[in-house]
Each structure stands twice: as C-alpha cells, then as structure tokens.
C-alpha cells in the first residue's frame, strides 16, 4: 500500500470532528520485517534529503509534534529521525514554563528555539500547549502574569490562534517551513499503554498520578484539539492528523509526511564556479604527490 500524506492533512478552514478521524488504519506492511525495511528506506531518503537541505541552506524546517500522553511522540522522533545528522537537527521539548518564560508572551520560549536555515527543528510539544492544556485548565492563565482584561476567556483563545497563525505566516515568508503533526490516539489505547508502563519495570518512570488525572478531561482535550486544528491549519503550515494506535503505521506515516515536506522544497547543491574549480585543482596537486 502507498502512503499518501495528503490523506492525513487538515484542509484550511475545515471544521474538525476527531471522532470521524481514525486512530488506526489498515497496516501498510504485512509484517515486522517488511515494516523495518520500509522504515529504513524512508530513513535513508530522509538522511539524503537532510544533506541536500544543509548544503542548499535556503530553508529551515520545523516539525511540531502534539498529542495526548503516550501517543508516541518520543518514539516517532527517535525512529523516524534516527538517520538524521545530529549536527543539522535539534529537538526541543516544552513542558511546564519556567519563571523566566512566564515573564514573556506565550510564544517567546518557542521562538528562541526555532531552527536556522539549513537545519531541522523538532518541537516535542510547542506553543500549542497554550491553546490546549491551558484551555482545558484555564486556571493556569492566572499564573501567566496576564491582567484580568487580557485573560478574558471569551476572546483569549481566538486571539492566541491569530498570534500563532501570524507567527507561522511570518516564518513561512522568511524561509521556515512548518509541518504540524497531531498523533491521534484513542482513549482505550492510552489505557493499554499506561498499563504497560506499570507492568514493564523499565517504563515505570513514564507514568504518574497526574497522567491518570488528565484522562478525566479527555473530552475537553478533544474539543480543544478540534478547535485548534480548525483555526490553525493553513496552506503554509498544515496540520496532519496521524492515526497513533499502531506505532509501526504511525512511524511510517510520519516519515512519509516529513519526506514529502523536505522533498517539496526547492533545493540544490551549490554549483561549482570556474574559479572554485580552479581552486580545487590547485588543492588536488599536493594530494596526488
């Protein structure tokens, strides 16, 4: 089966009902061996494109991962980006804001970690947390130092969506291409993965009572994601809703999306001028003695 990344893209201005988006699709491979082979092919192509991306030095690529706890963000990053040269890629994880970060606007801490031209930046969670977690728990707004007027819940979410869309338009106009991936996990699959974290000793550290507490807000999180995906999926910075119940399929789809994003960039290796060619010939002489 061929993976078409467009099947998972959220069209601009499209209302999103996540209950109609699958959390699992038919496997793209017949078994583990075929999966490993296809993923390795994707990883190798990604490595080749990254080298071209770095040499071309015309664009930056930002990949944003969002999803519920245990949706597979860490695993997708680890497996899909395994062939990428670490010198050309940086992963940033965004958790609870620090005291310094709370003294700035909600976009500030992420803007500081944006990738340079020729590089790939990966955000494991992002500024979208401020229209997702904070929307589900609006009491967090009080800790963000905003005046009562600015934290008006009737307006703040639409205003933050506008700020995000404006930032992403600005980045696009200046050569940063953004791919946003929502790993769409079912509540039942999350339950199974949490149980596995209890049963497997080396995964015990991944689970806390806070994770279980957040499951009570599942419906609220889905509503927050639906609103966010609708408001912020644009032509220049699209959202992709990737089924996350099957980790192998998830990683293949994610790798295809990233490959398509890099492949769509107009990149080329720098051309060697006559002057540069002559310089290289001079360099050759002592090496051939």
């Amino acid at each position: 089966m061929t993976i078409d990344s467009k099947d998972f893209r959220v069209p601009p201005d499209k209302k999103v009902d996540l209950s109609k988006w699958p959390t699992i699709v038919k496997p793209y491979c017949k078994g583990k061996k075929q999966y490993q082979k296809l993923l390795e092919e994707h990883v190798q192509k990604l490595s080749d494109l990254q080298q071209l991306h770095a040499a071309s030095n015309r664009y930056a690529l930002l990949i944003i991962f969002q999803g519920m706890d245990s949706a597979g963000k860490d695993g997708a990053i680890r497996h899909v980006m395994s062939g990428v040269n670490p010198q050309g890629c940086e992963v940033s994880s965004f958790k609870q804001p620090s005291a310094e970060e709370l003294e700035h606007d909600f976009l500030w801490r992420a803007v500081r970690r944006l990738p340079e031209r020729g590089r790939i930046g990966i955000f494991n969670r992002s500024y979208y947390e401020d229209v997702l977690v904070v929307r589900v728990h609006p009491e967090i707004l009080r800790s963000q130092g905003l005046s009562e007027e600015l934290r008006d819940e009737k307006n703040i979410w639409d205003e933050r969506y506008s700020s995000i869309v404006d930032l992403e338009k600005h980045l696009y106009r200046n050569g940063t291409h953004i791919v946003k991936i929502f790993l769409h996990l079912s509540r039942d699959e999350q339950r199974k993965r949490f149980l596995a974290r209890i049963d497997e000793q080396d995964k015990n550290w991944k689970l806390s009572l806070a994770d279980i507490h957040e499951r009570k807000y599942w419906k609220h999180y889905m509503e927050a994601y639906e609103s966010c995906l609708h408001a912020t999926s644009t032509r220049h910075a699209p959202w992709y809703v990737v089924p996350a119940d099957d980790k192998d399929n998830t990683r293949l789809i994610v790798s295809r999306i990233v490959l398509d994003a890099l492949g769509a960039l107009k990149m080329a290796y720098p051309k060697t001028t006559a002057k540069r060619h002559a310089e290289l010939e001079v360099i050759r002489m002592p090496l051939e003695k």
Side-chain angles (χ1 to χ4, degrees):
M1 294 176 64
T2 302
I3 302 172
D4 189 342
S5 61
K6 294 191 293 294
D7 292 342
F8 308 97
R9 190 165 59 200
V10 178
D13 300 318
K14 179 181 175 62
K15 288 283 186 181
V16 177
D17 180 352
L18 286 173
S19 68
K20 296 180 180 178
W21 287 74
T23 60
I24 192 165
V25 292
K26 187 176 180 180
Y28 289 102
C29 297
K30 294 180 180 179
K32 202 73 173 178
K33 190 172 181 180
Q34 187 182 21
Y35 156 73
Q36 291 288 357
K37 183 175 183 294
L38 183 54
L39 183 63
E40 287 172 9
E41 290 174 3
H42 284 189
V43 168
Q44 182 57 56
K45 289 177 183 177
L46 183 56
S47 177
D48 294 341
L49 280 172
Q50 187 214 9
Q51 183 173 320
L52 174 59
H53 176 57
S56 177
N57 199 38
R58 294 183 62 187
Y59 304 100
L61 180 67
L62 173 62
I63 307 167
I64 294 175
F65 285 92
Q66 292 286 160
M68 298 295 286
D69 290 331
S70 79
K73 298 180 289 295
D74 293 344
I77 294 168
R78 185 170 63 253
H79 287 80
V80 173
M81 309 304 290
S82 61
V84 170
N85 184 341
Q87 295 184 74
C89 179
E90 183 175 7
V91 179
S92 301
S93 296
F94 295 94
K95 298 182 180 180
Q96 186 173 340
S98 68
E100 179 189 16
E101 290 166 347
L102 287 172
E103 292 299 322
H104 295 267
D105 68 273
F106 78 97
L107 294 169
W108 180 79
R109 64 175 181 156
V111 169
R112 298 172 70 208
R113 307 307 300 253
L114 288 171
E116 303 144 353
R117 279 192 302 274
R119 292 173 60 85
I120 298 173
I122 300 172
F123 284 1
N124 186 344
R125 302 188 188 275
S126 66
Y127 44 82
Y128 280 99
E129 293 291 283
D130 283 272
V131 293
L132 295 168
V133 175
V134 180
R135 183 162 188 168
V136 173
H137 298 288
E139 65 274 12
I140 296 174
L141 286 171
R142 291 193 290 273
S143 70
Q144 295 187 336
L146 298 173
S147 68
E148 188 173 344
E149 177 188 4
L150 291 177
R151 63 172 189 260
D152 178 8
E153 290 182 47
K154 292 181 180 178
N155 302 312
I156 192 169
W157 311 121
D158 286 339
E159 289 171 351
R160 287 190 171 187
Y161 293 148
S162 295
S163 295
I164 288 171
V165 170
D166 288 345
L167 170 68
E168 292 176 349
K169 282 182 179 178
H170 166 76
L171 293 175
Y172 180 81
R173 287 194 296 265
N174 287 273
T176 297
H177 287 243
I178 305 172
V179 173
K180 301 177 296 193
I181 296 171
F182 168 54
L183 297 181
H184 188 23
L185 184 75
S186 70
R187 194 169 188 269
D188 187 56
E189 180 61 23
Q190 187 195 61
R191 179 185 65 83
K192 293 175 183 176
R193 292 182 186 181
F194 280 177
L195 286 171
R197 291 179 178 183
I198 295 171
D199 295 335
E200 298 177 37
Q201 191 171 359
D202 61 350
K203 292 183 178 181
N204 289 169
W205 64 275
K206 291 186 174 184
L207 189 65
S208 70
L209 286 173
D211 298 326
I212 305 305
H213 176 73
E214 287 302 290
R215 276 175 61 81
K216 299 176 183 178
Y217 299 95
W218 189 275
K219 179 181 177 182
H220 302 287
Y221 274 109
M222 293 303 104
E223 290 171 350
Y225 270 109
E226 288 171 349
S227 178
C228 171
L229 295 172
H230 166 64
T232 62
S233 190
T234 61
R235 179 187 61 80
H236 54 269
W239 273 106
Y240 294 84
V241 178
V242 175
D245 283 5
D246 180 334
K247 291 181 181 180
D248 290 354
N249 253 10
T250 299
R251 292 162 187 169
L252 290 175
I253 295 168
V254 168
S255 60
R256 182 74 264 166
I257 291 169
V258 176
L259 280 172
D260 288 348
L262 269 176
L265 301 180
K266 294 180 180 179
M267 302 183 295
Y269 285 102
K271 291 184 178 179
T272 302
T273 63
K275 182 179 179 181
R276 174 61 175 158
H277 184 71
E279 180 185 355
L280 291 171
E281 289 303 316
V282 172
I283 294 172
R284 180 200 298 275
M285 293 170 61
L287 294 174
E288 291 186 336
K289 288 182 179 178

